[in-house]
Amino acid sequence: MIVSAFLRSLFRRGGRTALALSGIAVSAALLLDMTMLASGLTGSFGELLGVSGYALRVTPRGSLPFDSEAGIADGGAVGRRIAAVPGVRAVAPVLGAQFYLARGDSAGEPLFTSGIDPRSQFLYRMVDGRQPGAGEVAVSEPLARDQGLAVGDTIRLAADLDVSLGRARQTTAYRVSGVADFLYDYEDQRSIAMPIGEVQRLTGRPGEVSLFGVATDEGVDDDALADRITAAVPEVSTYSTRELMAEMDRRLLYFQQLATILGSIALVVTALLVSTIITIGVRERFGEIATLRAIGVSRGRVLLAIVVEGLVLAGIGCLLGLPLGLWMAGRLDRILLGFPGIPAKMTFFAWEPGRVLLATGIVILVGALAGLLPGWNATRTPLGRALREEAE
């Protein structure tokens, strides 16, 4: 009965309570977003790595995939040695380069070009058409859209420019064999893929490979296989999904630190809002609290009623903050994914029920604890002094 009376008193002051709930909702939304941000990018990166089945990456010794322009010499021989390691199901070579879309004698925009083995590749999924063969390319959806390309069209590409004239040294015509969804491209990136031998020839890098994707047999441990490949082919570095995600974690440490700082601020703001509202309410009901104590109501029951006020405030604020946090996450995700080099299929914010419940529970707990101090002061004030203060 005491608890319900205190809650009715709290909501009788509708304007003040609404302002407090708005502030708590914003703080809860911020904490929710920071909780999702802390793990979202790494988690989506791990899912993206495994979507094609090629979970391991083999790169030049000491480098990460496409981290530098270094290449693996005699890629064909290296690929065969990797394929011979027990547990390897398939090996997919990739050679990265930059070609230019030619318009007449002039070179247009640069296109990220992947030399691949059409029989085993992990960089894209065909949307229309088929894998490229000799004299053919697969184009990314943004490139097809912007240039009005369809299967069967012809484009001219240049592998090199005359810098002094700003013109292509030599152009080659290629038939568009298909339109593809490139998994690791950033938003609106224009990319093409063609057989790796053609890229090696045009760039003057015969036999060279930038990296290999490796698919494992079912039931094979990725980390153990990575160690076996490194032992069998010591001139390369092999990374499992776990190692690549750990490296991603290291590179995204700034975002994780930012999430921790902003999440902590959100908790502090929540505590201040709840404690302020409860303190004001306690002062306004000081005489009521003194009367309850005078008629024999225990301090524990009065303190419990005050703490429940904070609990209810924080709980309602969390319920209001949940949809606000999801809306904010969607908006922020679109902004952050606009940064260069971030694959469009990744996400900065991952919905994980466990983490969401944890964030919500923390806010509600902080709200309950924030009511302890004003409640403790109200119940520990000597009864005679409390009655005199109320009479004055």
Side-chain angles (χ1 to χ4, degrees):
M1 191 165 86
I2 296 174
V3 172
S4 61
F6 276 29
L7 291 179
R8 284 195 299 271
S9 176
L10 174 67
F11 289 103
R12 276 200 300 269
R13 299 162 179 83
R16 188 172 68 197
T17 301
L19 287 174
L21 288 174
S22 298
I24 295 170
V26 171
S27 297
L30 179 59
L31 179 62
L32 173 64
D33 286 349
M34 293 306 101
T35 301
M36 293 193 294
L37 175 63
S39 63
L41 195 56
T42 302
S44 64
F45 177 64
E47 292 176 3
L48 194 58
L49 285 174
V51 72
S52 62
Y54 288 81
L56 273 63
R57 302 291 184 269
V58 179
T59 66
R61 186 83 179 159
S63 70
L64 288 167
F66 292 125
D67 222 23
S68 69
E69 295 184 0
I72 301 172
D74 197 7
V78 173
R80 288 189 291 273
R81 290 163 61 193
I82 294 171
V85 176
V88 172
R89 178 171 56 84
V91 178
V94 177
L95 177 60
Q98 182 170 273
F99 285 5
Y100 300 87
L101 185 63
R103 297 186 180 90
D105 291 333
S106 63
E109 61 182 298
L111 305 174
F112 184 79
T113 305
S114 300
I116 49 92
D117 180 349
R119 298 166 300 177
S120 57
Q121 64 80 27
F122 57 94
L123 299 180
Y124 59 82
R125 292 178 293 200
M126 297 303 302
V127 175
D128 186 23
R130 56 175 176 78
Q131 296 286 353
E136 296 178 330
V137 296
V139 301
S140 66
E141 291 180 292
L143 179 59
R145 180 194 64 222
D146 296 343
Q147 297 296 324
L149 298 173
V151 175
D153 289 348
T154 299
I155 60 173
R156 299 193 69 85
L157 301 174
D160 196 12
L161 295 180
D162 186 327
V163 179
S164 61
L165 299 177
R167 299 172 61 181
R169 296 185 188 275
Q170 182 180 357
T171 64
T172 306
Y174 291 91
R175 180 182 179 275
V176 176
S177 70
V179 178
D181 176 18
F182 283 70
L183 302 176
Y184 301 97
D185 279 8
Y186 56 81
E187 190 73 25
D188 293 327
Q189 181 176 338
R190 295 158 181 82
S191 302
I192 60 174
M194 63 175 66
I196 189 170
E198 186 73 1
V199 179
Q200 291 169 338
R201 182 183 65 82
L202 291 173
T203 57
R205 301 157 69 184
E208 188 172 318
V209 172
S210 297
L211 63 91
F212 293 96
V214 177
T216 65
D217 289 330
E218 187 175 352
V220 174
D221 181 75
D222 289 351
D223 293 309
L225 181 56
D227 292 339
R228 291 201 297 271
I229 293 174
T230 301
V233 192
E235 64 267 31
V236 300
S237 293
T238 306
Y239 298 94
S240 65
T241 299
R242 182 188 61 80
E243 291 170 319
L244 289 171
M245 290 178 64
E247 180 61 26
M248 176 65 78
D249 273 335
R250 188 184 67 79
R251 296 193 175 195
L252 296 175
L253 184 60
Y254 166 77
F255 288 103
Q256 294 172 349
Q257 291 173 336
L258 178 65
T260 300
I261 292 171
L262 293 179
S264 300
I265 292 173
L267 286 176
V268 171
V269 170
T270 299
L272 291 175
L273 281 170
V274 173
S275 61
T276 298
I277 293 299
I278 298 300
T279 299
I280 294 173
V282 166
R283 293 305 304 174
E284 290 177 345
R285 298 195 304 273
F286 209 64
E288 180 183 347
I289 293 172
T291 302
L292 288 171
R293 290 177 55 198
I295 63 176
V297 177
S298 67
R299 291 174 174 174
R301 290 181 63 189
V302 174
L303 179 60
L304 175 63
I306 295 172
V307 170
V308 168
E309 281 191 65
L311 188 70
V312 170
L313 270 176
I316 295 176
C318 281
L319 291 177
L320 296 175
L322 184 60
L324 176 62
L326 294 176
W327 176 81
M328 288 170 53
R331 299 281 296 181
L332 290 171
D333 208 34
R334 285 192 290 272
I335 294 172
L336 294 174
L337 286 175
F339 289 176
I342 301 294
K345 295 193 181 305
M346 295 175 64
T347 177
F348 279 80
F349 299 89
W351 171 268
E352 296 182 13
R355 287 180 175 269
V356 172
L357 288 175
L358 176 62
T360 303
I362 290 175
V363 172
I364 294 175
L365 178 62
V366 166
L369 293 177
L372 275 177
L373 182 59
W376 181 266
N377 290 334
T379 57
R380 290 297 168 180
T381 301
L383 185 57
R385 176 184 161 190
L387 293 172
R388 283 196 305 273
E389 288 184 8
E390 180 60 21
E392 294 173 359

